[in-house]
Amino acid sequence: MHCVYSNSLCGRCSIGISNDCGLGGRAGVGGGFGALQRCLCDCKDVYVKVTNNTGSKIKIIDLDYYDYGIGRNGAWRSEPIKNEVIDKEKIWQATRRLENVKAEQTRIRMKYRIKKRVAYSAKIHKSKKSPKKLCMNGTKFEFNLK
């Protein structure tokens, strides 16, 4: 069963009601409204797509997201990924859960190295940041690296 839920805290998002929300298949059963809101508003199943248009192979070495809820100004959090090599003109994609971000603004930062002749550059070549987005289930972030 799927439902769509809307409130002023989370905006609009849709989910399949299931036991992993603590609802026992129906809103109001088990975990109640708090569990429903958490399940709707968690920043999970976030889709990240990177297109390599740099003209060289690249190695993605870090995927970070900004948590505006930490302290006064927020902070970057690291999302574990293994270093991935992407051939030129190819796409890398992943789905992640961004811990501690619940229906809040966030942004993604990709760090990568470009292959130089034989080896990859020793330093981080570039860091590309996405614009801010309200993060809920299924939010998409896409990068075109040039």
Side-chain angles (χ1 to χ4, degrees), residues 1 19 28 32 37 71 78 98 101 116 131 136 139 141 145-146:
M1 175 176 142
N19 288 332
Q37 186 177 8
S78 184
L98 306 184
V101 177
K116 306 281 185 181
M136 293 184 288
T139 299
F141 292 91
L145 304 180
K146 295 183 179 189

Side-chain angles (χ1 to χ4, degrees), residues 30-101:
F33 177 74
L36 175 61
Q37 186 177 8
R38 279 191 304 280
C39 191
L40 286 166
C41 299
D42 278 352
C43 193
K44 56 185 182 176
D45 297 329
V46 173
Y47 175 71
V48 179
K49 177 182 175 183
V50 177
T51 305
N52 178 11
N53 288 319
T54 63
S56 300
K57 283 185 178 182
I58 64 169
K59 184 184 286 186
I60 295 178
I61 58 168
D62 205 5
L63 172 64
D64 301 324
Y65 61 97
Y66 203 78
D67 184 351
Y68 288 92
I70 297 176
R72 291 188 145 172
N73 299 320
W76 288 102
R77 293 182 180 266
S78 184
E79 184 65 20
I81 61 168
K82 64 181 188 175
N83 293 349
E84 296 274 350
V85 174
I86 307 172
D87 287 327
K88 60 184 178 179
E89 310 302 321
K90 297 293 181 186
I91 293 172
W92 175 85
Q93 50 196 345
T95 303
R96 293 285 192 265
R97 179 178 183 186
L98 306 184
E99 300 289 330
N100 301 310
V101 177

